[in-house]
Amino acid sequence: MHISGKILPFICKNNLYFQENYYTVIVMPVDNIRIPQELYHFNRIQSLFDPEVINLILRTTASNYERELKKDTKALFCKADSTEYRDRLNALMKIVQEYHNVDGKIILYIDKSNTSTAKTYPTTKEQTDNYVVISESLLDKLTDDELLFIMGHEISHISFHHAVINWIIGTIYPEGQKMPPIIRNEWNIWTRLAEISADNAGLQLCRDRASAQSALIKTIPADNSELKNRIACLGNGERFELYYKEIISRISEDYSELYANFFEKAFLLISELDGHVCSDEEEFILNRLSFHKYLTDNPVRNKKTVSHRQLLKEGKRIAEQFPDKTEELFLNLSALTLKDNTLTQEEYRLLYEIGTKAFGFTPETVDSLFLSIIRSTIFQPHKEL
């Protein structure tokens, strides 16, 4: 199995990519308390990685991830069973565990610092324990119904195996490491939906929207940008659908549909001129498109028919509406022609037509821009122009 060593070192190169049934590392308890859209993006993130590589990551890095995650918990926190909160928490835990199938034991800890927080430290294997830490100041503020919501929320992160995504992403792209656009988009969507899905689980337990709302207000800082959305989505499927669409649309809000569609059509037409699309070309296309739109499918494999004439027509509209973007577009299209280290006359002729007939460049400008791409790459021409 091929594993690219370039932009997406672990991207899947086989038919698992963007299929209906995604590869899943762990069999998860999927029931009516988990939001389907969250599960969809959970699986979609995994589908972006080579299954063999995921298995390797899980086997060799899971324990290290968990050890680092939990390294200070026992020193910083005390077990709930040794505190005055024992009976209250144990009674509520029995209710929570009736709803959730959790791998490993759950140990409750109390944070005695002056914070109002609740956090989960999940297990990465059955031989270790899950930790749920709740601050003492938060416990004193919450009613039993509010606390049941918080506990249901935190433990759903464990039962939904959210740690799978967190430690894969955290291992490959540690804090500060730039993610490829296509993975970044999915990650940004999923992290928000994971909280909504956990909120839904908490609401199912406490069965009182007012308690769930007040629990969120008491737990989440007032300046958190997502607090308003999470409250609005509590038990409100219609509002959640609107929020979900908003999350998707944010990815492409800086570019019009005309611009993104032209970008996609031009990429597809150029990539198919030599009769096939190699893995490096596909990777390049998906990442570049992901800067400008959210990909609901893999356009390279959908074999969309692209009209030469229509492309040039839309290119003229691009030049009229986005004159400051035409050079950037042309450079990206030029870079694509060189990704397979082969340049054909057909590819350059199409670039020349886009540059001169659609964007209004002079022949000299077209040649100059294209040569700048050649100089900036390790391209070694296999054929003469």
Side-chain angles (χ1 to χ4, degrees):
M1 180 175 294
H2 174 71
I3 301 174
S4 170
K6 298 183 181 179
I7 299 175
L8 293 180
F10 300 103
I11 197 167
C12 181
K13 299 296 184 182
N14 59 25
N15 291 330
L16 293 168
Y17 203 111
F18 286 125
Q19 289 184 349
E20 288 296 325
N21 297 312
Y22 301 113
Y23 174 83
T24 303
V25 175
I26 295 175
V27 177
M28 299 163 294
V30 181
D31 51 36
N32 62 359
I33 64 173
R34 187 171 190 178
I35 292 177
Q37 292 90 334
E38 181 264 308
L39 178 60
Y40 168 79
H41 288 280
F42 178 100
N43 286 337
R44 202 165 194 239
I45 289 175
Q46 292 189 88
S47 77
L48 293 171
F49 296 87
D50 189 310
E52 292 181 1
V53 176
I54 285 188
N55 288 333
L56 179 64
I57 292 169
L58 294 181
R59 186 175 69 249
T60 62
T61 69
S63 295
N64 291 336
Y65 173 88
E66 183 177 344
R67 192 180 303 111
E68 183 66 22
L69 188 68
K70 297 178 177 178
K71 66 179 181 179
D72 296 324
T73 52
K74 292 181 180 180
L76 295 175
F77 314 126
C78 59
K79 287 186 178 181
D81 280 346
S82 64
T83 70
E84 62 189 276
Y85 304 102
R86 179 187 62 189
D87 293 339
R88 182 188 184 197
L89 289 173
N90 286 342
L92 294 176
M93 179 60 72
K94 289 181 181 179
I95 299 174
V96 175
Q97 289 184 313
E98 290 178 1
Y99 279 79
H100 292 280
N101 179 25
V102 175
D103 294 331
K105 186 178 179 181
I106 299 175
I107 300 179
L108 297 175
Y109 283 88
I110 304 299
D111 178 1
K112 290 186 173 289
S113 65
N114 188 27
T115 59
S116 293
T117 58
K119 188 173 181 180
T120 301
Y121 297 82
T123 178
T124 58
K125 53 187 178 181
E126 292 184 4
Q127 293 87 348
T128 57
D129 299 321
N130 301 281
Y131 299 165
V132 174
V133 179
I134 304 176
S135 68
E136 186 175 43
S137 60
L138 182 60
L139 281 169
D140 291 339
K141 294 178 185 178
L142 298 175
T143 66
D144 280 354
D145 282 343
E146 291 169 345
L147 182 54
L148 189 58
F149 170 82
I150 294 298
M151 291 175 67
H153 173 105
E154 295 301 327
I155 291 170
S156 72
H157 283 312
I158 299 171
S159 66
F160 295 162
H161 294 283
H162 287 167
V164 171
I165 300 300
N166 289 329
W167 86 64
I168 290 174
I169 294 296
T171 299
I172 301 174
Y173 306 107
E175 188 173 356
Q177 177 72 40
K178 188 176 181 180
M179 290 186 197
I182 193 167
I183 294 177
R184 180 201 62 207
N185 289 348
E186 290 295 337
W187 171 252
N188 287 338
I189 294 169
W190 178 77
T191 52
R192 288 170 173 79
L193 296 186
E195 295 305 317
I196 300 291
S197 201
D199 286 345
N200 187 59
L203 180 60
Q204 290 285 337
L205 278 168
C206 78
R207 299 186 180 278
D208 181 51
R209 189 180 187 281
S211 295
Q213 177 176 329
S214 59
L216 287 175
I217 292 172
K218 292 176 182 179
T219 307
I220 302 174
D223 59 354
N224 186 295
S225 60
E226 288 298 307
L227 176 59
K228 182 178 179 180
N229 289 318
R230 286 175 62 179
I231 290 175
C233 291
L234 283 170
N236 189 332
E238 185 176 343
R239 181 63 189 88
F240 169 74
E241 291 293 340
L242 290 174
Y243 174 65
Y244 180 55
K245 291 178 182 177
E246 288 171 9
I247 297 173
I248 300 293
S249 66
R250 288 177 196 171
I251 294 172
S252 54
E253 62 186 3
D254 293 334
Y255 297 90
S256 74
E257 186 175 358
L258 170 66
Y259 184 93
N261 287 342
F262 173 81
F263 208 53
E264 178 177 330
K265 289 176 182 178
F267 269 163
L268 294 178
L269 187 57
I270 288 173
S271 66
E272 293 172 355
L273 285 178
D274 59 2
H276 72 284
V277 182
C278 72
S279 61
D280 284 343
E281 289 175 313
E282 179 178 358
E283 184 177 301
F284 179 87
I285 291 170
L286 294 174
N287 268 317
R288 285 297 189 273
L289 288 179
S290 294
F291 273 116
H292 306 292
K293 62 187 296 187
Y294 177 71
L295 299 179
T296 57
D297 56 20
N298 184 345
V300 176
R301 301 191 180 185
N302 281 349
K303 302 298 182 183
K304 296 179 181 178
T305 302
V306 180
S307 164
H308 190 134
R309 181 178 298 179
Q310 184 64 28
L311 182 67
L312 294 179
K313 182 179 179 180
E314 291 185 14
K316 291 179 181 178
R317 293 175 61 195
I318 292 292
E320 293 171 358
Q321 295 185 31
F322 308 97
D324 59 327
K325 294 291 185 181
T326 53
E327 184 173 310
E328 175 189 331
L329 269 170
F330 187 82
L331 290 172
N332 272 281
L333 298 176
S334 300
L336 174 61
T337 65
L338 306 178
K339 288 306 294 182
D340 59 358
N341 211 37
T342 301
L343 180 64
T344 67
Q345 293 185 33
E346 290 78 10
E347 287 173 330
Y348 192 75
R349 286 193 185 111
L350 177 57
L351 281 176
Y352 188 86
E353 283 192 80
I354 293 173
T356 56
K357 295 183 179 180
F359 294 164
F361 296 158
T362 64
E364 291 78 13
T365 298
V366 169
D367 290 342
S368 176
L369 290 173
F370 190 78
L371 287 172
S372 71
I373 290 295
I374 291 180
R375 295 188 190 104
S376 67
T377 67
I378 59 171
F379 172 68
Q380 298 293 327
H382 288 224
K383 297 181 179 180
E384 296 294 328
L385 292 177

